[in-house]
Amino acid sequence: TCSCTDVNDENTCTCLDPTTSCTLYWPDLKETKSMWFKTCGQVSEYFIADMKFTDTPPVIEEVVFVPPSMLPSMNPSAEPSLAPTDSHSSSPTGNPTKLPTPSPTTHHHGHEIRIPSGQTVLQISQVDQLFTLTKAHVDNTTGAISHIVPIARSYNGHNWEASPGDFATDFFRVQTLTCTNNDNTCVVVLPSLGFEESYLLSTYEYSLQERDEIARFLEKTTFGPTPSELNAWVAQPGAMHDKMVSWIELQMDAALTRTTSHREYFRTRVNSRLAQSRRAARANHACNANSRWRKFAFSGKDAIYYTPYSLRISGKGPYIIYYADHPRVVVPNITFTDGTTNYQFNDTFQYRFCGITERVGGNVGIYLEDGSCKKFPNPSIEFGSGFEELPEFVLDLPDDPEVLRSIDEAQSEEDDLHILLSELNSTSCDEVPEVVEEGDAPVFGRLPNGTWLIHDPHVLLETNTLDDFIVDGGGATQLATGGLTWCSNVPRTFANEHSCAISEAASACSST
């Protein structure tokens, strides 16, 4: 906008913006020109001057400038509009609208219309519709829209509500949305806008097939639907809403649906690799049921950037490869993938990893003395003739697929991974420490056919329920791990005191 800066006897005025026309009007106040009304573009002002009148002038107590309202009056104006709307409406409305739309009404499907600041009446959406109110930067030259921030939304016939996000939260700490059900509208006062800012009202329409609607509902209420569940829902008679209500009631009826625990479900199935005891758990013993074994010498755990351990390579062929100063494997030769052979390794140098592929024949990268990264095939565990006594702990494993089963064949070219399905009963198990931590001497296994494996420590899952609890509360585990793994019991409270039990075990954890 602009304002007039000069008034002269020629009844003209000059605008700051030379492209905007300015008109000056003189009221009939006899001999004086003490009051004038001037317009510059959209800005109007009244001016009063102290002048002496020869006749009694009109009584003027105060003239206050009121800018033009951005919203029309609630009742029809006494005179017609100065100009018609851009185009006619496609059909008459059922009742006179309280407020006109910013432009002739059209259907918008994902497109925006601008609305002004001030009090705004928002229509509530209908079924299968989404209305959004946003604030955005709109380039006055190109019309490009950017920096869109959500403010409010109405969807599927619901009242307008604040959109998610910090901006909408702060916005409605000051502003309020007032909705009335009789005319399906909500009213909000939109604050003034900055340069090239605009409020945008967008409308979207959508619909879902019944199967997709069922899937979306089950995604929200379960771990995810299965094809059989979807088919069963589709086959049920009745409206979708009734099906959902019946399903929720069934889930809440403990007599028909067993109560389950997410924690229990997770703990009975988790089996992640754990080379070092942690606060929540310790690694399993090599002789435990569900212990994992692998054929390749090096795993990703060996190459974690923060580990203080590295490789040492001794010999000129065969080579003994040590990890954390414990023998890991003996290989007849080491040929790098670039074709380099007969490399002279320094048996006092600590070689760090620069990458490991977990399978027999996968790449193992090490940094050489000059800092270059060289790769050689990940060897299978082997301690040939003359080297059988190198490993500190060796267990004899059964060649029985019902006891030791190959797993994850799809992830490896050979039977690289195995799982011990039942506890191993062997006197050799007593020689293996209760807990083998990262950096300790590894535990190896040998099959009757001479195949070597290495124990791959994973999380030890212990039963600790109200009916079958850990007698000492996890005290023995805490002692075995040197305090790395914490106790499993909790303090007594009003919620659990009825199930508390006193432990007389020497290793029992304190209750606090």
Side-chain angles (χ1 to χ4, degrees), residues 12 22 79 83 96-97 107 234 270 312 330 351 392 419 447 485:
T12 61
C22 178
E79 297 181 358
T97 55
H107 292 286
V234 172
V270 67
R312 187 167 58 85
V330 176
Y351 296 95
E392 186 173 348
I419 185 170
L447 295 171
T485 302

Side-chain angles (χ1 to χ4, degrees), residues 23-347:
T23 307
L24 185 142
Y25 302 95
W26 297 96
D28 183 12
L29 292 181
K30 301 270 181 164
E31 300 174 359
T32 69
K33 295 180 179 178
S34 59
M35 173 179 173
W36 62 85
F37 167 73
K38 60 187 179 183
T39 62
C40 251
Q42 302 264 336
V43 178
S44 302
E45 294 175 327
Y46 289 95
F47 291 82
I48 307 252
D50 290 331
M51 301 292 291
K52 182 178 180 180
F53 292 90
T54 56
D55 295 327
T56 302
V59 178
I60 303 176
E61 296 182 355
E62 183 180 10
V63 177
V64 181
F65 166 62
V66 180
S69 173
M70 300 302 291
L71 297 173
S73 58
M74 300 302 290
N75 298 315
S77 58
E79 297 181 358
S81 303
L82 296 177
T85 56
D86 295 339
S87 62
H88 62 79
S89 301
S90 58
S91 61
T93 57
N95 297 304
T97 55
K98 293 183 178 181
L99 297 173
T101 55
S103 61
T105 304
T106 57
H107 292 286
H108 291 271
H109 302 277
H111 299 287
E112 298 81 12
I113 57 173
R114 300 190 193 185
I115 57 176
S117 58
Q119 181 172 300
T120 301
V121 177
L122 301 171
Q123 188 73 27
I124 295 174
S125 64
Q126 298 180 5
V127 176
D128 294 340
Q129 283 186 332
L130 168 65
F131 294 170
T132 63
L133 175 64
T134 57
K135 182 180 179 182
H137 177 274
V138 182
D139 191 291
N140 291 336
T141 303
T142 64
I145 300 174
S146 61
H147 300 86
I148 301 174
V149 182
I151 298 175
R153 65 186 181 185
S154 170
Y155 61 94
N156 212 33
H158 296 291
N159 285 342
W160 281 86
E161 63 182 18
S163 296
D166 294 339
F167 182 85
T169 300
D170 295 339
F171 183 93
F172 285 106
R173 286 195 179 104
V174 180
Q175 310 301 329
T176 57
L177 270 168
T178 304
C179 300
T180 55
N181 294 327
N182 58 341
D183 59 358
N184 293 323
T185 60
C186 298
V187 178
V188 64
V189 177
L190 301 177
S192 300
L193 294 162
F195 178 68
E196 290 193 336
E197 289 183 336
S198 182
Y199 293 112
L200 303 176
L201 184 63
S202 304
T203 304
Y204 306 88
E205 293 184 358
Y206 68 97
S207 62
L208 288 176
Q209 299 294 325
E210 182 183 27
R211 191 178 182 88
D212 294 331
E213 189 173 1
I214 295 169
R216 185 173 66 174
F217 173 74
L218 293 177
E219 282 284 355
K220 295 178 180 179
T221 55
T222 70
F223 284 109
T226 63
S228 59
E229 285 179 317
L230 293 176
N231 294 334
W233 273 69
V234 172
Q236 291 180 19
M240 180 60 62
H241 177 269
D242 295 336
K243 294 181 183 180
M244 293 179 179
V245 171
S246 298
W247 184 87
I248 293 174
E249 291 176 345
L250 176 64
Q251 297 299 310
M252 296 176 65
D253 190 338
L256 299 176
T257 304
R258 187 178 69 88
T259 302
T260 59
S261 166
H262 288 182
R263 182 174 181 270
E264 178 187 6
Y265 185 93
F266 171 80
R267 285 180 56 83
T268 55
R269 289 162 175 80
V270 67
N271 196 21
S272 59
R273 182 180 283 157
L274 188 68
Q276 179 73 32
S277 296
R278 297 289 186 263
R279 284 168 46 179
R282 49 157 282 195
N284 60 0
H285 192 276
C287 297
N288 287 156
N290 299 319
S291 64
R292 298 277 291 271
W293 298 78
R294 69 171 193 266
K295 185 180 291 186
F296 48 88
F298 302 105
S299 74
K301 280 289 185 181
D302 297 327
I304 293 179
Y305 69 93
Y306 56 77
T307 182
Y309 309 112
S310 53
L311 292 184
R312 187 167 58 85
I313 303 175
S314 175
K316 300 183 182 299
Y319 298 91
I320 304 174
I321 303 180
Y322 296 83
Y323 177 77
D325 289 329
H326 298 290
R328 177 65 63 89
V329 65
V330 176
V331 294
N333 56 69
I334 297 177
T335 301
F336 292 122
T337 54
D338 64 0
T340 302
T341 59
N342 299 320
Y343 185 82
Q344 298 299 311
F345 292 97
N346 182 345
D347 60 5

Side-chain angles (χ1 to χ4, degrees), residues 358-359 406-417:
E358 292 192 350
R359 61 179 175 83
S406 176
I407 60 174
D408 293 347
E409 292 91 342
Q411 303 297 324
S412 60
E413 297 179 0
E414 301 184 38
D415 53 345
D416 291 345
L417 302 173

